[in-house]
């Protein structure tokens, strides 16, 4: 067999994808009235400041709560906060 | 549910996938509309996302398992080259085909034989999972968690793991020799991050006996092409980011312009023989022994700024006090040494914050010693103190809004809240830590200095991987 015809086994350079357990989305709420909804804000203030103000003004019956950082990693809700949280909006960008 | 830009859907979806929520609801914000007008377009949809009943797909659970075979191709070397150079079309924001397994250039084919030969460069077993040999903090300040000794390394951005053999496979593809493998394995401990948006670049700097062992070029052209060691080791970082981490432009590697430093990668080292007396080498600065071999992995966000003065002008300044530098410093006719850092400093701090890696040739380092910079720390302190400016001016910069977390915290020098500081209070535009700066003595004989923007990175032991 000519050298150029030799068959080689070649190794995969791709890293290992660890199996990930898929989680269904949390059940949706029947309505927002009286519910505790968290805004998990990661920048960008041009949107988030206006959004927070708008939500509190237009939906006063919702108990709006906020976790805020201007960096890229959201501030996690504590276990205590998770006990009463009924929805999370994660926003936005950077 | 998540609000983000439409062109970042690929990135959000991949992040959701590796976190086990592939069907998360996404609403698109605008890059151009003012906030209130933008919100009008999607606030109803956003709230509906909290109440609209789940679809069957959104209720799905199970296991995402995309494990791949160890042998990925069988055939001739010519066909293998075609296989490894295959491309995939990436839609907006790229709209072009990009290489799946390579940086776009031909690679050395990782046959079983070539990988087995590469593995002779380490005593570690082929099936060993890459783990950390020391505790690490990566990208401190951006929310990256501390990583602990013994933890599996998760290669970014897809959070994959890797074996010693998989690292060796990428080293083969990059053109490394077996003796380079401990360096590549040490680099792999970093997870080979590629940052996300803007203009990110990566570089690695070696220190210790390994530099001479591998005949790393620390002289003329050390940042450029030609070395049989610098080039392949730098390239191995980029191939690991692509293959072990899954980094793909426009999908999860969102550097808007990309960065030419990542074309072929970048590996350099310090010329320890050129260090002036009293200046510690990088390994000692990082807390290791001078006989330890280490690699520093840097995210050089912002790239390189070349020398701002002419080498002839520099010599004229130092030899006899002539030329433009002497006129600027008002030392006309007075022989040096004169503090050449002062020529660079206005440019360093005019539009950037954070630490810098300042590369200089031995002659220029000696001039600084003769001026009283007895240690590298003296240079770091000088640079840092030169960065002070009134807080009013500092607040007119862009990145500090981000790095100071919306000015919600405490200014470290004063111990007072940022929002309570008077406009004329002086703060370091460079950041809180002079030791973010780093001096590297390297290069040829021509009097030139280069700034690598981004400062220090995490260090990893090469000896641990021999």
């Amino acid at each position: 067999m000519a050298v150029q015809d030799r068959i080689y086994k070649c190794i995969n350079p791709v890293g290992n994808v660890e199996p990930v357990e898929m989680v269904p989305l949390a059940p949706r709420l029947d309505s927002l009235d009286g519910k505790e909804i968290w805004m998990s804000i990661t920048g960008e203030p041009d949107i988030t400041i206006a959004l927070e103000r708008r939500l509190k003004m237009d939906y006063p019956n919702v108990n709006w709560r906020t976790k805020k950082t201007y960096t890229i990693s959201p501030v996690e809700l504590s276990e205590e906060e998770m006990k009463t949280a009924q929805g999370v909006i994660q926003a936005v960008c950077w | 549910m998540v609000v983000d830009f439409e062109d970042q859907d690929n990135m959000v979806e991949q992040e959701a996938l590796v976190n086990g929520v592939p069907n998360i609801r996404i609403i698109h914000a605008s890059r151009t509309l003012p906030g209130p007008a933008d919100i009008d377009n999607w606030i109803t949809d956003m709230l509906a996302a909290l109440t609209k009943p789940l679809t069957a797909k959104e209720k799905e659970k199970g296991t995402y398992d995309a494990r791949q075979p160890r042998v990925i191709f069988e055939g001739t070397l010519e066909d293998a080259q075609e296989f490894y150079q295959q491309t995939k079309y990436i839609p907006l924001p790229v709209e072009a085909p990009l290489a799946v397994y390579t940086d776009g250039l031909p690679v050395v084919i990782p046959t079983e034989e070539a990988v087995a030969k590469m593995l002779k460069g380490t005593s570690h077993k082929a099936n060993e999972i890459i783990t950390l040999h020391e505790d690490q903090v990566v990208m401190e300040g951006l929310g990256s968690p501390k990583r602990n000794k013994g933890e599996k390394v998760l290669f970014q951005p897809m959070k994959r793991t890797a074996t010693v053999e998989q690292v060796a496979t990428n080293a083969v593809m990059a053109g490394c020799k077996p003796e380079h493998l401990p360096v590549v394995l040490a680099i792999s401990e970093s997870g080979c991050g590629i940052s996300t948006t803007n203009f990110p670049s990566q570089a690695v700097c070696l220190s210790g006996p390994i530099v001479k062992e591998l005949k790393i070029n620390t002289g003329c052209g050390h940042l450029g092409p030609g070395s049989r060691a610098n080039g392949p080791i730098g390239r191995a970082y980029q191939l690991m980011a692509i293959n072990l981490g899954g980094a793909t432009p426009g999908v999860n590697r969102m550097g808007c312009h990309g960065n030419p430093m990542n074309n072929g990668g970048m590996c350099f080292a310090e010329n320890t023989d050129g260090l002036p007396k009293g200046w510690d080498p990088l390994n000692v600065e990082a807390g290791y022994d001078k006989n330890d071999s280490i690699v520093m992995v840097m995210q050089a966000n912002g790239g390189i700024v070349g020398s701002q003065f002419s080498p002839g002008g520099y010599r004229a300044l130092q030899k006899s006090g002539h030329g433009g530098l002497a006129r600027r410093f008002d030392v006309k006719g007075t022989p040096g040494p004169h503090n050449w850092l002062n020529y660079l400093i206005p440019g360093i701090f005019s539009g950037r914050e954070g630490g810098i890696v300042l590369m200089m040739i031995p002659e220029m380092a000696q001039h600084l010693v003769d001026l009283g910079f007895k240690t590298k720390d003296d240079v770091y302190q000088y640079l840092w103190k030169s960065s002070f400016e009134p807080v009013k001016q500092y607040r007119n910069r862009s990145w500090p809004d981000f790095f100071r977390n919306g000015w919600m915290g405490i200014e470290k020098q004063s111990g007072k809240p940022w929002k309570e500081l008077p406009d004329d209070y002086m703060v370091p535009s460079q950041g809180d830590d002079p030791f973010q700066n780093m001096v590297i003595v390297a290069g040829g004989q021509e009097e030139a200095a280069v700034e690598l923007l981004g400062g220090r990175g995490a260090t990893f032991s090469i000896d641990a991987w021999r």
Side-chain angles (χ1 to χ4, degrees):
Chain A
M1 180 189 293
V3 172
Q4 66 268 25
D5 295 331
R6 186 181 157 191
I7 301 299
Y8 291 87
K9 287 185 176 178
C10 302
I11 305 296
N12 192 343
V14 175
N16 304 317
V17 180
E18 301 273 303
V20 178
E21 289 306 315
M22 297 301 187
V23 181
L25 293 190
R28 299 295 103 167
L29 303 168
D30 52 358
S31 81
L32 297 181
D33 284 350
K35 302 296 194 307
E36 181 176 305
I37 310 291
W38 285 79
M39 285 279 296
S40 177
I41 294 172
T42 52
E44 152 151 359
D46 180 66
I47 298 171
T48 54
I49 291 172
L51 179 60
E52 193 178 357
R53 189 180 301 139
R54 177 81 179 271
L55 288 170
K56 287 178 177 173
M57 188 172 65
D58 290 1
Y59 301 90
N61 296 331
V62 178
N63 179 16
W64 294 106
R65 308 285 303 275
T66 305
K67 286 280 183 185
K68 189 181 291 188
T69 175
Y70 285 73
T71 62
I72 53 179
S73 298
V75 181
E76 290 184 11
L77 273 66
S78 68
E79 281 188 25
E80 203 60 31
E81 290 163 341
M82 285 294 285
K83 287 178 185 171
T84 54
Q86 293 169 291
V88 177
I89 298 167
Q90 197 170 11
V92 60
C93 313
W94 271 123
Chain B
M1 54 82 47
V2 174
V3 183
D4 209 332
F5 297 132
E6 184 173 9
D7 57 90
Q8 299 202 341
D9 270 2
N10 292 329
M11 183 173 68
V12 174
E13 286 167 4
Q14 285 219 338
E15 188 69 14
L17 177 65
V18 296
N19 283 291
V21 283
N23 300 312
I24 197 162
R25 292 178 173 179
I26 306 169
I27 297 289
H28 298 136
S30 165
R31 284 190 176 274
T32 53
L33 285 176
D38 189 16
I39 292 163
D40 279 342
N41 287 336
W42 44 258
I43 189 169
T44 306
D45 290 342
M46 185 185 79
L47 294 174
L50 297 175
T51 54
K52 186 178 170 187
L54 297 182
T55 64
K57 188 171 178 56
E58 289 171 332
K59 291 178 184 173
E60 280 177 1
K61 55 183 176 182
T63 304
Y64 170 69
D65 191 345
R67 281 176 285 191
Q68 297 193 12
R70 174 177 173 270
V71 173
I72 197 172
F73 180 81
E74 287 188 48
T76 65
L77 290 179
E78 188 178 354
D79 290 343
Q81 192 64 252
E82 284 297 311
F83 174 82
Y84 282 98
Q85 288 206 71
Q86 66 184 273
T87 60
K88 179 182 177 185
Y89 181 81
I90 307 297
L92 194 74
V94 175
E95 297 188 307
L98 297 180
V100 176
Y101 299 112
T102 77
D103 49 12
L105 299 172
V107 291
V108 175
I109 299 302
T111 61
E112 278 194 315
E113 292 88 342
V115 174
K117 186 177 172 188
M118 179 62 66
L119 284 165
K120 293 188 185 305
T122 182
S123 62
H124 290 256
K125 288 196 166 72
N127 63 356
E128 178 182 329
I129 298 286
I130 305 297
T131 57
L132 280 175
H133 283 90
E134 298 166 37
D135 292 347
Q136 289 287 343
V137 175
V138 180
M139 292 177 72
E140 191 172 20
L142 287 179
S144 294
K146 181 173 180 256
R147 301 189 302 157
N148 299 314
K149 180 180 177 179
E151 258 183 48
K152 278 184 192 174
V153 171
L154 296 180
F155 289 84
Q156 303 301 327
M158 289 294 282
K159 300 181 179 175
R160 296 172 180 162
T161 60
T163 62
V164 168
E165 184 181 70
Q166 285 164 323
V167 172
T169 302
N170 282 279
V172 169
M173 292 170 70
C176 290
K177 296 178 179 178
E179 57 264 37
H180 301 160
L181 185 59
V183 179
V184 180
L185 286 162
I187 292 168
S188 78
E189 278 194 67
S190 72
C192 300
I194 39 79
S195 191
T196 55
T197 59
N198 219 289
F199 191 57
S201 53
Q202 298 83 47
V204 299
C205 179
L206 310 186
S207 179
I210 193 79
V211 176
K212 287 186 176 173
E213 281 175 39
L214 298 185
K215 298 182 174 60
I216 298 285
N217 178 16
T218 62
C220 184
H222 68 118
L223 299 180
S227 164
R228 188 63 186 82
N230 303 45
I233 291 170
R235 190 186 187 197
Y237 185 108
Q238 293 301 323
L239 291 181
M240 288 194 288
I242 292 165
N243 290 315
L244 302 183
T248 308
V251 176
N252 50 29
R253 183 176 201 167
M254 306 302 282
C256 181
H257 296 288
N259 193 303
M261 277 173 61
N262 302 335
N263 285 335
M266 186 161 158
C267 168
F268 59 93
E270 190 165 53
N271 171 11
T272 48
D273 291 342
L275 283 169
K277 190 179 173 190
W279 284 27
D280 286 332
L282 178 60
N283 51 359
V284 173
E285 281 190 87
Y288 295 85
D289 185 83
K290 68 177 182 181
N291 294 315
D292 292 337
S293 291
I294 65 155
V295 59
M296 177 177 282
V297 176
M298 293 173 278
Q299 294 291 328
N301 293 314
I304 293 181
V305 177
S307 189
Q308 292 104 324
F309 43 73
S310 71
Y314 181 91
R315 290 191 293 274
L317 167 74
Q318 303 294 21
K319 286 201 280 194
S320 53
H322 286 131
L325 279 85
R327 290 193 292 276
R328 176 178 290 198
F329 296 158
D330 198 19
V331 293
K332 202 159 181 290
T334 306
H338 299 294
N339 187 352
W340 55 271
L341 295 175
N342 289 335
Y343 195 88
L344 307 184
I345 280 169
I348 292 174
F349 302 126
S350 63
R352 293 290 303 187
E353 304 80 36
I356 64 161
V357 177
L358 184 59
M359 296 183 186
M360 64 188 77
I361 65 165
E363 176 194 326
M364 296 169 76
Q366 187 60 51
H367 284 152
L368 292 178
V369 172
D370 294 344
L371 283 161
F373 294 94
K374 299 302 180 192
T375 66
K376 284 182 175 176
D377 280 4
D378 292 339
V379 179
Y380 305 148
Q381 288 283 348
Y382 187 81
L383 290 170
W384 182 70
K385 286 176 181 172
S386 300
S387 82
F388 274 67
E389 64 186 14
V391 72
K392 182 179 181 181
Q393 192 174 328
Y394 183 58
R395 287 173 63 89
N396 290 341
R397 293 171 178 264
S398 175
W399 280 107
D401 282 348
F402 174 78
F403 286 109
R404 298 303 184 187
N405 198 11
W407 311 97
M408 293 195 292
I410 301 291
E411 195 278 318
K412 284 196 176 172
Q413 311 305 315
S414 63
K416 294 180 179 173
W418 276 102
K419 291 183 177 176
E420 292 179 14
L421 293 175
D423 283 351
D424 60 353
Y425 186 82
M426 300 294 282
V427 293
S429 66
Q430 198 173 40
D432 295 322
D433 182 8
F435 202 65
Q436 294 174 91
N437 293 311
M438 186 163 94
V439 163
I440 293 292
V441 175
Q445 270 61 55
E446 196 78 306
E447 292 80 0
V450 166
E451 302 146 30
L452 192 60
L453 305 176
R456 284 171 193 268
T459 49
F460 303 91
S461 167
I462 293 169
D463 298 324
W465 289 103
R466 287 185 188 268

